[in-house]
Amino acid sequence: MKTQVAIIGGGPSGLLLAQLLLRHGIDSVVLERKTKKYVLGRIRAGVLEQGLVRLMEEAGCAERLHAEGHVHDGTLIAYGDEMFRIDFTALTGTPVIVYGQTELTRDLYAAREAAGGSIEFEVEDVAIHGADTDAPHVTYRKDGSDHRLDCDFVAGCDGFHGISRQTIPLDVRREYEKVYPFGWLGILSETPPVNEELIYANSPRGFALCSMRNENLSRYYIQCSLSDKPEDWTDDAFWQELERRIPADQAARLVTGPSIEKSIAPLRSFVTEPMRWGRLFLCGDAAHIVPPTGAKGLNTAASDVHYLNSGLRAFYETGATDGIDSYSARALARVWKAERFSWWFSSLMHRYPDQSDFDLKIQVADLDFLRTNEAAHKAMAENYVGLPY
Ligand code: APR
Ligand code: PHB
């Protein structure tokens, strides 16, 4: 089989890239190791920057997003007896849209299928060959048979646990990592959100986040120990802990109910450099991971896809290679700003096991400064709504 771009991974990065390429007449094949049902069963963050919204519009996949997504002009930050608001739209002219990543992925699948685009599900043993040559190819097994996909380029969109990053030789790759000493216990409940906007809370008992998917589907998180397991937490225990970590007036209006999903995610900052090796390009979680505090995972995958799509379009339309040659540097410049913001916001909002009394005083001073300083509000808003591509 032959294609122009072999895309490994049928998550948001791979699907968005495939759809954008297709819209510009560039052929691709998506290789996904799981089933479509499995991919759509993943519960992930749901805050979209305008840059991602524009890409979904360019991909022709933004209709439901605009119909069902919720425009958020700001967010709430709580600590001690304080709760204050960052007004994104007043400070930057830009809101964010709350729309589940699962729904965005569903929209991309629907567009791919409607366009007759090729997606190979349940592939196994994917391997990239000749990435450092002008004629790479990918091999994989499916339904017990071996397959070969010849291509011009390979897009590694296979996430943190994929094989694409591992294809880049160790003497070429440089990796940067910070592992956080806690996790996030998250639940999904068919209850009305506690507030119209998200609430990020720093409490003496740890971080909490009140989010949502729609007017009757709420998403809540509490910071938890890395030794915790979801089954260690009954729904009642979760709700009681959440109520102790958010402001009393918000806790008083919290509507609780049975969890329909409960999971624990570890937190990590991670970047691999470079994001290109020969004709292999890494996108999204394959190249970088952020703690979810700043909701930057999907949105940074989006800017990777934007840069790569632009570079590949230029190559196929004019033969120019400056777009693909500058891809890694351009993507990493924005990735590191998202890494910084995600690390900073995580440091501001969580309680760390090794925090000294001095550290705690500094954290409160940081929160006081953010609450009372207009420049700090603007910096927070600029980063949260998304820095320019
Ligand atoms: N072969 C084929 N497919 C693979 C392989 C492999 N060897 N390894 C992983 N995959 C698939 C996974 O099953 C998954 O569907 O690649 C896809 C990668 O998707 P994501 O992990 O969602 O990564 P990405 O598409 O970059 O999206 C980033 O997802 O994880 C969140 O927080 C992250 O919001 C961010 C977004
Ligand atoms: C979510 O709704 O899942 C969500 C929102 C904002 C975040 C992280 C997760 O920062």
Side-chain angles (χ1 to χ4, degrees):
M1 187 160 52
K2 172 104 175 81
T3 188
Q4 290 173 295
V5 183
I7 298 174
I8 303 175
S13 296
L15 290 166
L16 180 56
L17 177 63
Q19 188 59 15
L20 289 169
L21 292 172
L22 183 72
R23 299 279 284 189
H24 298 293
I26 300 169
D27 183 54
S28 65
V29 172
V30 177
L31 302 176
E32 167 55 52
R33 73 176 169 188
K34 299 293 188 182
T35 62
K36 174 181 169 184
K37 181 173 185 239
Y38 185 96
V39 175
L40 291 176
R42 293 181 184 129
I43 304 297
R44 295 278 167 66
V47 175
L48 311 187
E49 296 174 356
Q50 284 304 317
L52 174 50
V53 173
R54 284 194 296 271
L55 283 177
M56 288 293 283
E57 291 168 349
E58 182 184 341
C61 299
E63 186 179 343
R64 202 161 67 99
L65 156 59
H66 284 305
E68 299 176 17
H70 295 259
V71 176
H72 281 218
D73 292 310
T75 193
L76 298 164
I77 296 177
Y79 69 110
D81 298 327
E82 300 286 356
M83 185 160 86
F84 62 99
R85 184 168 184 265
I86 302 289
D87 190 334
F88 303 141
T89 304
L91 291 160
T92 72
T94 306
V96 293
I97 291 189
V98 173
Y99 185 67
Q101 179 176 311
T102 304
E103 299 318 309
L104 179 139
T105 307
R106 194 188 315 279
D107 296 338
L108 289 167
Y109 268 123
R112 183 83 177 156
E113 288 155 4
S118 172
I119 305 178
E120 296 289 318
F121 289 104
E122 298 184 274
V123 300
E124 300 173 301
D125 305 330
V126 173
I128 301 166
H129 309 273
D132 54 341
T133 72
D134 287 344
H137 71 276
V138 177
T139 56
Y140 61 94
R141 286 183 60 78
K142 181 174 166 67
D143 301 331
S145 302
D146 291 328
H147 296 266
R148 173 176 169 136
L149 177 62
D150 289 288
C151 54
D152 300 329
F153 300 100
V154 181
C157 303
D158 48 350
F160 185 67
H161 301 290
I163 56 98
S164 296
R165 184 173 70 251
Q166 313 301 336
T167 302
I168 301 178
L170 280 173
D171 62 351
V172 174
R173 235 181 321 141
R174 294 179 304 285
E175 296 186 350
Y176 306 85
E177 184 173 51
K178 178 181 184 60
V179 177
Y180 295 81
F182 41 74
W184 278 20
L185 168 63
I187 72 160
L188 206 55
S189 61
E190 289 172 327
T191 55
V194 69
N195 197 294
E196 287 180 356
E197 294 186 326
L198 274 61
I199 304 175
Y200 290 86
N202 173 327
S203 88
R205 301 179 64 85
F207 170 80
L209 171 60
C210 302
S211 184
M212 74 245 356
R213 293 291 177 271
N214 61 47
E215 52 280 347
N216 198 43
L217 191 60
S218 296
R219 181 70 167 162
Y220 294 104
Y221 299 94
I222 57 173
Q223 173 185 346
C224 68
S225 163
L226 284 173
S227 58
D228 280 4
K229 297 183 291 296
E231 56 269 25
D232 295 340
W233 286 84
T234 63
D235 286 359
D236 286 346
F238 180 91
W239 292 122
Q240 285 165 22
E241 188 60 35
L242 178 68
E243 286 169 358
R244 298 175 73 174
R245 297 191 185 187
I246 61 178
D249 64 323
Q250 301 300 314
R253 48 187 287 173
L254 181 67
V255 176
T256 65
S259 60
I260 59 174
E261 192 270 349
K262 190 184 291 177
S263 55
I264 292 180
L267 273 66
R268 174 198 319 271
S269 298
F270 175 87
V271 179
T272 195
E273 293 186 356
M275 289 175 55
R276 176 210 183 170
W277 183 59
R279 292 205 167 206
L280 169 62
F281 298 85
L282 303 182
C283 279
D285 275 18
H288 42 75
I289 297 287
V290 284
T293 322
K296 290 300 165 199
L298 176 60
N299 291 300
T300 313
S303 47
D304 294 347
V305 167
H306 166 74
Y307 298 132
L308 183 54
N309 173 56
S310 304
L312 291 172
R313 273 190 62 194
F315 174 81
Y316 282 112
E317 290 169 2
T318 67
T321 63
D322 53 344
I324 53 179
D325 291 343
S326 62
Y327 166 74
S328 182
R330 288 179 76 193
L332 284 166
R334 193 172 189 273
V335 162
W336 277 111
K337 294 186 182 81
E339 291 284 343
R340 183 211 67 83
F341 174 67
S342 304
W343 161 83
W344 168 80
F345 198 24
S346 299
S347 306
L348 186 70
M349 299 306 294
H350 291 79
R351 292 298 170 100
Y352 288 68
D354 61 352
Q355 260 175 324
S356 67
D357 290 346
F358 176 82
D359 295 335
L360 285 170
K361 295 294 278 184
I362 292 296
Q363 194 179 57
V364 170
D366 257 342
L367 283 159
D368 285 342
F369 179 72
L370 178 59
R371 174 171 57 85
T372 58
N373 183 278
E374 186 177 344
H377 273 239
K378 185 160 172 64
M380 168 85 193
E382 294 280 1
N383 278 281
Y384 197 95
V385 302
L387 297 176
Y389 280 14

